Amino acid sequence: MTTADPTPSVLQQPTRDRRARRPDHRDVDITGERRVPALSARIPRPFIAGAAGAVAVFLLTGCGDGGGDARAGGKSAGVVNSISASPASARPTASRTAATGRPEIAFPSTAKNVFEDTKTGDATKDAVLADSALSVNSVDEAILTGSTSTKALGFYNTGKALNASITFINGYLNKKDTWIGETRFFDRKVTLSGADKAYVTYCSDESKSFIKYRTTGKVNRTPTTSQSYVLYHTVLAKNADGVWQTSDIVSNRGDQACQP
């Protein structure tokens, strides 16, 4: 992965590419770019330096349909269901999250997030990656259900990341948009900083996810371009309950580091 400029021009508030692509999660305006909300603060230099190798500051999700970008990630059906979201039509009676007291996340059968690189061989890093994926899914669940009051959103996100996510989600809800398809999250890398802080960088492929207009049912199937790929830089902090919450996030749509 090529090292990207640590000061990407991301913080534009709406415009994701995902389903339009979805608006960038830290990109929030859902106008014609995928979905990826744009966060309001840059990741500190220590993060960028520690992530050696990867890193253009990117945010989490994006779609290829008609909205902005948001965060998302690599996927594979089995991986997605086991890590974070189960289709609403096939929700397990006792999911891993429910069994541990964590809020369960469910997606409709028309949408899916697939996360690659789930195992590193280090238990702590694996836990960080798992909660990072749940953070992404919690944002998409809110978009898909049409509400920012879901239990998972504030459980896996905090601080600036939570505020940016809510703004991003509302970008969809205010326009009565949602998304369908599959978003893949790949090249996920973790850098630990002490016992309770970590940096995660990853790419999202929104070429197969699109914005859907709730009022008309129409799907904006935009063509795949370099803007279908987004780079994310996130900061996670371990809270008193042992949950790795995403506290800051930055994204860069079209970053060279994530191109096929």
Side-chain angles (χ1 to χ4, degrees), residues 42-144:
R42 291 178 182 167
I43 300 299
R45 280 191 177 285
F47 170 22
I48 301 208
V55 293
V57 179
F58 216 174
L59 207 33
L60 84 267
T61 358
C63 266
D65 176 327
D69 287 54
R71 23 182 257 231
K75 24 187 141 183
S76 83
V79 174
V80 177
N81 292 338
S82 64
I83 287 187
S84 59
S86 308
S89 59
R91 186 182 299 179
T93 52
S95 68
R96 180 177 69 81
T97 53
T100 57
R102 293 177 171 227
E104 186 176 356
I105 297 175
F107 280 18
S109 59
T110 54
K112 180 197 297 185
N113 280 340
V114 173
F115 298 87
E116 298 179 353
D117 312 304
T118 61
K119 299 296 181 181
T120 65
D122 179 286
T124 300
K125 289 184 176 181
D126 291 351
V128 171
L129 286 174
D131 283 352
S132 172
L134 289 167
S135 168
V136 173
N137 283 344
S138 71
V139 172
D140 281 330
E141 179 190 41
I143 292 172
L144 295 166

Side-chain angles (χ1 to χ4, degrees), residues 4-255:
D5 184 342
T7 57
S9 57
V10 247
L11 313 180
Q12 17 179 334
Q13 227 48 27
T15 338
R16 232 185 172 171
D17 196 349
R18 186 185 229 167
R19 326 308 184 156
R21 271 102 168 205
R22 310 166 159 180
D24 275 88
H25 194 18
R26 276 69 208 170
D27 191 317
V28 190
D29 177 5
I30 292 187
T31 7
E33 225 157 307
R34 257 206 187 121
R35 44 174 226 169
V36 178
L39 242 158
S40 58
R42 291 178 182 167
I43 300 299
R45 280 191 177 285
F47 170 22
I48 301 208
V55 293
V57 179
F58 216 174
L59 207 33
L60 84 267
T61 358
C63 266
D65 176 327
D69 287 54
R71 23 182 257 231
K75 24 187 141 183
S76 83
V79 174
V80 177
N81 292 338
S82 64
I83 287 187
S84 59
S86 308
S89 59
R91 186 182 299 179
T93 52
S95 68
R96 180 177 69 81
T97 53
T100 57
R102 293 177 171 227
E104 186 176 356
I105 297 175
F107 280 18
S109 59
T110 54
K112 180 197 297 185
N113 280 340
V114 173
F115 298 87
E116 298 179 353
D117 312 304
T118 61
K119 299 296 181 181
T120 65
D122 179 286
T124 300
K125 289 184 176 181
D126 291 351
V128 171
L129 286 174
D131 283 352
S132 172
L134 289 167
S135 168
V136 173
N137 283 344
S138 71
V139 172
D140 281 330
E141 179 190 41
I143 292 172
L144 295 166
T145 59
S147 173
T148 57
S149 298
T150 58
K151 293 181 179 180
L153 187 61
F155 190 90
Y156 292 108
N157 302 280
T158 188
K160 294 176 182 177
L162 177 58
N163 292 333
S165 294
I166 291 174
T167 299
F168 173 70
I169 294 165
N170 282 329
Y172 272 92
L173 306 189
N174 293 340
K175 289 178 176 292
K176 293 182 171 55
D177 289 344
T178 184
W179 65 273
I180 64 170
E182 176 179 304
T183 300
R184 180 176 66 94
F185 296 85
F186 62 101
D187 236 347
R188 302 168 71 219
K189 295 180 174 62
V190 185
T191 297
L192 300 177
S193 178
D196 57 7
K197 188 173 185 179
Y199 300 100
V200 176
T201 61
Y202 59 90
C203 294
S204 69
D205 170 3
E206 303 173 356
S207 62
K208 294 181 180 179
S209 60
F210 310 93
I211 292 290
K212 179 178 180 179
Y213 309 118
R214 293 180 187 275
T215 54
T216 64
K218 178 183 177 181
V219 176
N220 186 359
R221 297 185 181 280
T222 54
T224 298
T225 69
S226 62
Q227 297 302 297
S228 301
Y229 303 90
V230 183
L231 173 62
Y232 294 90
H233 284 293
T234 63
V235 178
L236 291 85
K238 187 177 182 180
N239 66 16
D241 295 319
V243 178
W244 287 93
Q245 295 180 300
T246 295
S247 60
D248 213 338
I249 180 172
V250 182
S251 67
N252 186 33
R253 182 170 290 286
D255 197 284

